[in-house]
Amino acid sequence: MVQSLSSSTSDNENGCFKNSNNSKNNIHAASLIAGTCIALSVASAAAPPALAVSGGGLDYANIDISGQDFSKSSYKNKNFTQVIAKATDFSGSNLQGCRFFKAYLVKTDFTGADIRGASLEDTSMDEALLRDVNAAGAYFSSSILDVKDLENADFTDAQFPPKTLALLCDRPDMKGVNPTTGEDTRDSAMCP
């Protein structure tokens, strides 16, 4: 137990304690506190810095990544909300659970990407490439109609606005079989 360091002038002469037990206890307490402080500072210096909240690592919300190469990498559960990604290459990447809400994805290449469970709502997707994509369980807005290529895509359990699905099914590129999942594009989107 740490004893109080405050004492009256009769107990303390010239800054030294008369009682040798108090002096030993005070030295022990000071050593314990110093040791704890050193251990905490070493532990905090060795800990890696936290970079983001969503999925660990760097997130990309509200930044311009236009024309950059994000191909053949894993960005699982990353936040791309309101990102500007014009002509960005995500081909072959793992984008499961990513959030692309209100993202600018014009001419973006998602060929062969895994976008299962991703949110692509309220995006601009003019001339984006979704060939061979696994989009099972993904969420789309009507901008899916502006995509350049949907051939061989898997849309199993994907969500589309009600009026959009009929127009989507009328597209000539809503055909083929996904090379990864083996799902027929039209059947996976529940086209008649």
Side-chain angles (χ1 to χ4, degrees):
M1 176 191 266
V2 178
Q3 295 182 359
S4 172
L5 295 177
S6 65
S7 56
S8 65
T9 51
S10 61
D11 293 332
N12 185 3
E13 293 177 2
N14 298 326
C16 298
F17 288 98
K18 289 181 180 177
N19 185 336
S20 64
N21 284 339
N22 282 343
S23 179
K24 288 179 186 175
N25 286 340
N26 289 334
I27 291 171
H28 179 69
S31 297
L32 184 62
I33 291 170
T36 303
C37 289
I38 290 170
L40 288 174
S41 61
V42 168
S44 64
L51 298 176
V53 176
S54 175
L58 184 64
D59 280 330
Y60 303 92
N62 300 306
I63 63 173
D64 188 341
I65 59 170
S66 294
Q68 294 187 32
D69 186 1
F70 284 77
S71 65
K72 297 178 180 77
S73 298
S74 181
Y75 301 98
K76 190 174 180 179
N77 296 318
K78 296 296 179 206
N79 187 0
F80 291 91
T81 297
Q82 294 184 338
V83 72
I84 299 171
K86 183 177 182 181
T88 299
D89 185 1
F90 287 107
S91 62
S93 288
N94 182 349
L95 301 166
Q96 289 181 57
C98 286
R99 182 173 165 83
F100 287 94
F101 184 70
K102 293 191 175 189
Y104 187 77
L105 304 172
V106 172
K107 296 184 180 181
T108 299
D109 186 358
F110 290 100
T111 302
D114 185 348
I115 60 171
R116 287 180 288 167
S119 171
L120 293 123
E121 297 165 299
D122 293 334
T123 59
S124 297
M125 297 182 74
D126 299 13
E127 297 184 49
L129 301 173
L130 294 181
R131 178 182 281 264
D132 301 332
V133 72
N134 183 356
Y139 297 86
F140 293 95
S141 60
S142 60
S143 64
I144 187 77
L145 299 173
D146 301 324
V147 168
K148 184 176 183 177
D149 187 3
L150 295 167
E151 193 168 336
N152 302 328
D154 180 353
F155 292 113
T156 303
D157 297 325
Q159 302 295 310
F160 306 98
K163 294 180 181 177
T164 302
L165 184 57
L167 296 171
L168 191 64
C169 290
D170 286 342
R171 290 179 56 129
D173 59 345
M174 279 291 286
K175 63 182 180 181
V177 175
N178 186 276
T180 305
T181 65
E183 293 293 326
D184 180 271
T185 299
R186 292 187 63 77
D187 290 345
S188 69
M190 299 177 69
C191 292

